[in-house]
Amino acid sequence: MFLKMKMKSKNNIMEKQKIFKQSYVSVLKNNLKSGKSVHLYKNDTFEYDERQTLIYPDVAKPEDLLTKIYSLNDLETAISLYEAYPGLTPLQASDERFWTYLTHADLYPYMIKRWNKHITGKIDDEIKYISEHWFLKSTSHQELMRHPIAGLWWGVYLSVDEKREDKYELTRILFRQLDFPTRTLGTYRLGRHKEAVIGILQFIKDNEEIFRKNFEKKTRYITKYLNLVGGLKPLGYFDREFFIDELEKIKKKISLI
């Protein structure tokens, strides 16, 4: 399945992105839960009701999106997805109708290539596996970060820095291990705050020698530490320098992990 951008003759207006109706998202979830539709997630394309779609206002449908992200490299996929929707707002990126449509329609071929244990027989609970990858349980930050498509977009959004010569310099650090954006930062409220994420990533960049070993353990430690700091201070009001300074205070402890 390859997407094509359609242009209206005189006004040169891009085709708008489609999403599912909320009621249809519920139908899809219920059909999977009952086992009725499990077989549909093993086909080359997913059969859905076109009448259950809506136009997403102010969001253009990207040209050849599937071709651009057809990679098993999460970093490349994340950046391509982010660039494909340049005007997408955090509010729009929190809409489960949007992500559910992408996993079932525009990006379905990518999904079954990247997440196919229910096809290869490497998973016992097919329904649970499909549910965790094709749907959002809720629109909480934690669930958005753990979603296989939404989490990629959010990871780039939180780490991209337009002021840098390479605006994705910190994004490359974030996606060094997939658990970092999804299971580590995504678990804490801290991960919702862009300045906090950039501060953490800048600290890692400035102290690469410390993070060459035990990267996962050390990143978990610093996010837990800053989360505790957040119990005493309103972290949302601080800039990246605050978080860098806080981590400098425990630099020696981090190096010993």
Side-chain angles (χ1 to χ4, degrees), residues 17-22 25 56 59-62 65 81 84-85 88-89 91-107 136 144 147 149-150 153-154:
Q17 178 66 49
K18 289 182 180 179
I19 61 173
F20 283 139
K21 295 178 181 178
Q22 188 63 53
V25 173
Y56 212 6
V59 179
K61 181 178 180 178
L65 175 61
L81 180 65
Y85 292 98
L88 196 68
T89 67
L91 180 61
Q92 292 167 330
S94 300
D95 192 335
E96 73 168 328
R97 299 173 302 168
F98 172 62
W99 299 115
T100 305
Y101 180 83
L102 288 185
T103 57
H104 288 75
D106 293 351
L107 298 182
L136 282 161
L144 285 166
H147 187 269
I149 298 295
W153 185 92
W154 277 98

Side-chain angles (χ1 to χ4, degrees), residues 189-190 223-235 242:
R189 289 184 180 181
L190 181 74
T223 49
K224 285 181 181 179
Y225 170 78
L226 290 174
N227 192 58
L228 291 174
V229 173
L232 302 173
K233 298 179 181 180
L235 298 184
F242 168 82

